[in-house]
Amino acid sequence: MFFKKALPFLLFILLNGLLLQAQQETLITGRVTETGSNSGIPFVNIYFKDTFIGAVTDFDGSYSIKTSTPTDSIYLRLIGYTSKAKLVKKGKTQVINFQISPQALNLNTVEVRPGVNPALRIIKNATKNKSIYNRDNLTSVQYISYTKQERDINNITPKFRKLHFLHALTDLWDKMDSIAGEASKADLPVWMSEIVSDIYSYKKAEKKHEDVTAVKIKFVGMKDGSALSQLQGSDFQNYNFCNNIVPIATINKDFLSPIADNAGLFYNYYLMDSVSIDGYKCFQVTCRPKNKHDLAYSGNIWITDTTFVIKQLDLEVVKEANVNLVNHARIQQVMIPTEAGPWVPSQTRVLIEFSTPAKRLIGVTLRSYNSNKSFVVNQPKEKDFYKTRITFAEDAITKDSAWWNAHRQEPLAPLEYEAYNMIDTVRHTRFVRYAVNTLYFLFSGYKDIGPIDIGHYINTYGYNLYEGSRVQLGFRTNVKFSKNWIVRGYGAYGFRDKGFKYNIQLERILSRYPWSNAGVMYRDDIDQVGTGFNNASNINLGETPNNLYNTFSRIGNISKLLRKEEARIWYEKDINRGLNTTITLRNVRTTPLFPITYGDAFTLFQQRKYTITEILLESRFSVKERYVQNGNERISFGNNKSPVITLYYTLGLKNFIGGDFNYNKVSISISNRFKMATLGYSQVFLKLGKVFSEVPYTLLEIPRGNQTGIYANTTFNQMNYFEFVSDQYIEAYWQHHFNGLFFNRIPVVKQLGLRGVVGLNMAYGTLSDKNKHFNINNSFTVMEDVPYLESDIGIENILDIIRIDFLYRLTYNDDFYIQDYEKANPGNKISNWGVKVGLSFSF
């Protein structure tokens, strides 16, 4: 009876206790971001004061803590950043966001004895096991990839914001500032992009295929969105720290991995903590470059305690590193295991802040986020599946907001939503349109005027002994004229010979994927002996342009010139990924503008016109080269990952369209870059070939010399123009860039960011007896048993863009040879020593 009467009271007490407990429960959610960049910061420890109750931020910087025993404040701690604390309202659900700033890390001096530093044991095991867990070991991989990229202009002062041409952006800017929060100021967004695609890679054939499901791009300077969409995807997110070298593609620099085979020579390591991440017990190891100017990372890696594989990392490039115009670069990555054993990246975030030489000017911030899921490994597709590099769904660029909200692997932050809106406003301001057009002109060399582009400015002026001063104006049509047809050409006039020269060509783009085109051309102009006209317009961003050399080589004491009336027709096609073939039929009527003879029936003082008709076959093999199409132009991003092999074959046809000679020529060239991590990299170019028939010496091999004061790659900088002639030859260029390896270790000098370079160039060729006899009365030099050699010691990165090279001619430098050459070539001097200057920028 008593129990029945007491039961309601006991239930009341229990219910009130539960309600009281619920009321006292504290729930805190929020996000940790970096001051200035507003990027989420992962792996941050957040905990209640004087307790072990806390959480670690996820990859987006978000966290959540729920407890019934809170204290009055929560603390934030992350090595390398300022610590912070904020008050907590007990028993409440609340949102507490943090913004923190990087802070120089000063580690106390530690005496390390053999067997004492536990971090070294962990790193050695990780280095030993990386070959087991390296994702490059997988036969094939396929997954769904989501990539988000943003480009912002930063360092925008209040004075800059008040400029008249930005008045239209003021309200939107203020709104973004309020979203950014605390003391941050929102940057000016100029690019936002997202892409969802299915990625397939096949190790055996070194092939990759990408099916793009959706692309969304907004860009202030966008002229053609199709070109930008080709820059998206996962290619630029492939940061594999199991490899010895981990390059940052955006700045084209190779950095040493903290677990590289020889990393202990360049890194210091410190064991900082032991934590549990996704069920894995991990060691947190801090790594720091022994020399801050070396190309090495600084930050934290979390390594599992049994398998010793990197679970996650947070690494950056320190400001002192010998990298131009980069204030800050940071990579964050989370790894997950596959069924086959190797680990793959599930999330990668990259942030790079660029500065300008003048610190007061604006800078640029690049952010990218990549998320991958649904991995399938070691189940390759059929071989033909990988033939096409990239495909786009028909509705890839028309997906609506509802589709994107449903398929994003990470939702957009409020600031990113506003950035999309702001870009549309920015791109239509008058000043921005003007700035974009100016930059496009400087980069491409052409100024667009409706459907026609005028340029290239580099060819505007020239000078030689025959034409005197020469002016030239060129043009090409763009997509406003036609998306498939291209008309291009130029007109030139020489003031001494009072002669007009011109070129006109018509091209048709037959296919974009795979690329193929065809064209016809007619040209009447003057060329220097040993050079030819390149009708291709492809831009290669992976090669250093020799614009200064090309300009000055057209100006000076250039006497051996040929007047050419040339007609050609060609067809070009990508046969397979990395294999491009071009076949050309051309007819050239040549009038030498200096004395020349050939055969037995002509004397030294006669000038002899001749005509050649030839079929040219060129095949270029470059597996890892990547292209994009900007309107009607094809742009290459170069190839620093695999050899580039080019095969040339030329067949001369006598009596066909007036041809005077039958002949065969063949040559092959190979170029490759060899990366050596902190030791720098070597660039090698090798070419060899043979002419099998009797031809005028103007059609033989003439190594490219350089009589300007400008340094140029893949030329013989101490050789004169038209110095040697051969019909079988080998040419080699070797250059090693030390990336500051030595200058970084010299006090005071290391602050200048100088980089050393050494090189050696070699040419060797012989001339057959039949060609000696065929060209018997002409003046030219044939090499003896000794090859031509020149050495090079240079300093680059002077003021970020200037290069000075000290050159020495190692052979064909004795007094007898020099006197004999100068006697046969009046006005041409040979100098054994040389100092040449060039302009070359690299990060």
Side-chain angles (χ1 to χ4, degrees), residues 73 129 193 225 243 278 365 413 527 538 598 674 678 728 733 819:
S73 57
N129 289 356
S193 67
N243 294 332
D278 298 334
T365 300
D527 290 331
N538 296 343
Y598 59 87
F674 299 92
T678 53
Q728 49 188 351
Y733 306 84
Q819 292 173 5

Side-chain angles (χ1 to χ4, degrees), residues 465-530:
L465 295 180
Y466 183 82
E467 294 177 281
S469 292
R470 168 191 168 114
V471 293
Q472 178 174 312
L473 182 65
F475 76 95
R476 68 185 183 192
T477 59
N478 53 44
V479 290
K480 296 177 183 178
F481 175 83
S482 173
K483 292 184 178 180
N484 295 313
W485 290 98
I486 307 169
V487 183
R488 71 177 84 230
Y490 64 81
Y493 182 78
F495 287 89
R496 177 176 293 175
D497 69 335
K498 295 180 171 50
F500 180 74
K501 299 90 182 175
Y502 65 92
N503 170 68
I504 186 73
Q505 62 189 63
L506 175 67
E507 301 172 43
R508 167 75 177 181
I509 298 175
L510 304 174
S511 169
R512 296 180 185 271
Y513 302 102
W515 173 264
S516 66
N517 78 335
V520 294
M521 182 200 82
Y522 186 82
R523 176 174 177 264
D524 184 354
D525 204 349
I526 293 175
D527 290 331
Q528 185 180 353
V529 170

Side-chain angles (χ1 to χ4, degrees), residues 59 135 143 145-151 193 195 208 231-241 246-250 330-333 335 345-351 367-372 626 641:
F59 201 72
R135 62 180 180 269
Y143 54 93
S145 174
Y146 166 75
T147 300
K148 174 175 60 181
Q149 298 189 13
E150 180 178 350
R151 309 289 187 264
S193 67
I195 183 169
K208 194 170 192 177
L231 296 175
Q232 310 306 301
S234 62
D235 279 8
F236 298 126
Q237 306 296 324
N238 188 25
Y239 296 94
N240 186 352
F241 286 85
V246 185
I248 299 180
T250 308
R330 187 173 187 177
I331 301 173
Q332 298 162 326
Q333 194 172 68
M335 306 291 293
S346 62
Q347 293 174 296
T348 303
R349 180 181 283 109
V350 179
L351 181 144
R367 299 184 181 90
S368 65
Y369 169 81
N370 176 251
S371 176
N372 305 315
R626 188 177 183 186
K641 299 179 180 179

Side-chain angles (χ1 to χ4, degrees), residues 162-233:
K162 293 179 181 178
L163 295 176
H164 175 73
F165 58 83
L166 292 176
H167 281 179
L169 308 178
T170 302
D171 292 341
L172 190 55
W173 223 322
D174 291 341
K175 183 178 180 180
M176 294 182 69
D177 282 345
S178 65
I179 296 173
E182 295 192 12
S184 290
K185 288 291 184 182
D187 297 334
L188 176 65
V190 294
W191 171 319
M192 286 288 296
S193 67
E194 298 176 272
I195 183 169
V196 176
S197 55
D198 293 312
I199 308 293
Y200 305 83
S201 63
Y202 184 30
K203 178 184 176 182
K204 185 176 181 180
E206 293 188 345
K207 292 185 176 182
K208 194 170 192 177
H209 175 81
E210 184 169 0
D211 288 331
V212 177
T213 305
V215 179
K216 186 177 182 180
I217 297 178
K218 288 192 178 181
F219 175 41
V220 167
M222 183 163 57
K223 288 179 176 288
D224 182 3
S226 64
L228 296 177
S229 66
Q230 298 165 58
L231 296 175
Q232 310 306 301

Side-chain angles (χ1 to χ4, degrees), residues 350 380 459 493 516 603 625 640 714 801:
V350 179
N459 299 320
Y493 182 78
S516 66
T603 67
E625 187 166 6
N640 293 327
T714 59
I801 61 171

Side-chain angles (χ1 to χ4, degrees), residues 1 32 47 61 72 77 101 119 140 142 162-163 167 178 216 227 253 275 341 379 455 482 510 538 578 624 686 795 798:
M1 180 67 68
V32 180
Y47 57 94
D72 60 357
R77 181 172 65 88
S101 303
S140 68
Q142 66 183 72
K162 293 179 181 178
L163 295 176
H167 281 179
S178 65
K216 186 177 182 180
K253 283 291 183 182
V275 295
Q379 297 182 27
S482 173
L510 304 174
N538 296 343
K624 296 186 178 181
L686 177 68
I795 302 174
I798 303 171

Side-chain angles (χ1 to χ4, degrees), residues 346-564:
S346 62
Q347 293 174 296
T348 303
R349 180 181 283 109
V350 179
L351 181 144
I352 304 176
E353 291 183 355
F354 294 97
S355 63
T356 54
K359 295 182 179 180
R360 294 183 179 181
L361 297 179
I362 59 176
V364 177
T365 300
L366 280 63
R367 299 184 181 90
S368 65
Y369 169 81
N370 176 251
S371 176
N372 305 315
K373 66 178 183 179
S374 304
F375 284 91
V376 177
V377 300
N378 294 345
Q379 297 182 27
K381 303 288 185 180
E382 60 278 6
K383 188 176 180 180
D384 291 343
F385 176 81
Y386 300 95
K387 283 186 176 180
T388 305
R389 168 65 185 83
I390 187 170
T391 62
F392 291 84
E394 291 184 3
D395 61 343
I397 62 175
T398 61
K399 294 288 198 303
D400 58 18
S401 297
W403 188 95
W404 282 102
N405 290 336
H407 291 83
R408 285 187 182 101
Q409 295 187 29
E410 179 187 80
L412 293 181
L415 200 61
E416 292 170 330
Y417 276 111
E418 291 302 325
Y420 267 125
N421 297 329
M422 193 169 188
I423 288 173
D424 283 333
T425 306
V426 172
R427 64 184 297 190
H428 291 104
T429 61
R430 184 178 180 181
F431 171 79
V432 170
R433 290 201 307 268
Y434 175 80
V436 168
N437 289 333
T438 301
L439 291 174
Y440 180 78
F441 171 70
L442 294 174
F443 167 74
S444 69
Y446 288 85
K447 174 68 174 73
D448 61 317
I449 304 175
I452 296 177
D453 299 341
I454 303 298
H456 193 290
Y457 59 77
I458 204 71
N459 299 320
T460 302
Y461 178 78
Y463 178 87
N464 58 66
L465 295 180
Y466 183 82
E467 294 177 281
S469 292
R470 168 191 168 114
V471 293
Q472 178 174 312
L473 182 65
F475 76 95
R476 68 185 183 192
T477 59
N478 53 44
V479 290
K480 296 177 183 178
F481 175 83
S482 173
K483 292 184 178 180
N484 295 313
W485 290 98
I486 307 169
V487 183
R488 71 177 84 230
Y490 64 81
Y493 182 78
F495 287 89
R496 177 176 293 175
D497 69 335
K498 295 180 171 50
F500 180 74
K501 299 90 182 175
Y502 65 92
N503 170 68
I504 186 73
Q505 62 189 63
L506 175 67
E507 301 172 43
R508 167 75 177 181
I509 298 175
L510 304 174
S511 169
R512 296 180 185 271
Y513 302 102
W515 173 264
S516 66
N517 78 335
V520 294
M521 182 200 82
Y522 186 82
R523 176 174 177 264
D524 184 354
D525 204 349
I526 293 175
D527 290 331
Q528 185 180 353
V529 170
T531 67
F533 177 73
N534 182 12
N535 65 292
S537 60
N538 296 343
I539 299 173
N540 191 333
L541 300 180
E543 295 180 355
T544 302
N546 288 330
N547 287 339
L548 274 180
Y549 167 75
N550 292 335
T551 299
F552 281 91
S553 66
R554 297 163 56 90
I555 303 172
N557 183 26
I558 303 171
S559 58
K560 285 184 167 53
L561 301 172
L562 305 171
R563 183 72 180 250
K564 293 182 179 179

Side-chain angles (χ1 to χ4, degrees), residues 525 527 529 561-566 586-594 596 598 607-612 660 696 698-699:
D525 204 349
D527 290 331
V529 170
L561 301 172
L562 305 171
R563 183 72 180 250
K564 293 182 179 179
E565 298 173 75
E566 177 180 1
R586 71 170 186 165
N587 177 266
V588 186
R589 288 177 289 176
T590 302
T591 303
L593 302 178
F594 61 96
I596 177 176
Y598 59 87
Q607 292 186 2
R608 171 66 189 270
K609 298 181 180 180
Y610 61 87
T611 299
I612 61 170
D660 289 324
T698 52
L699 297 177

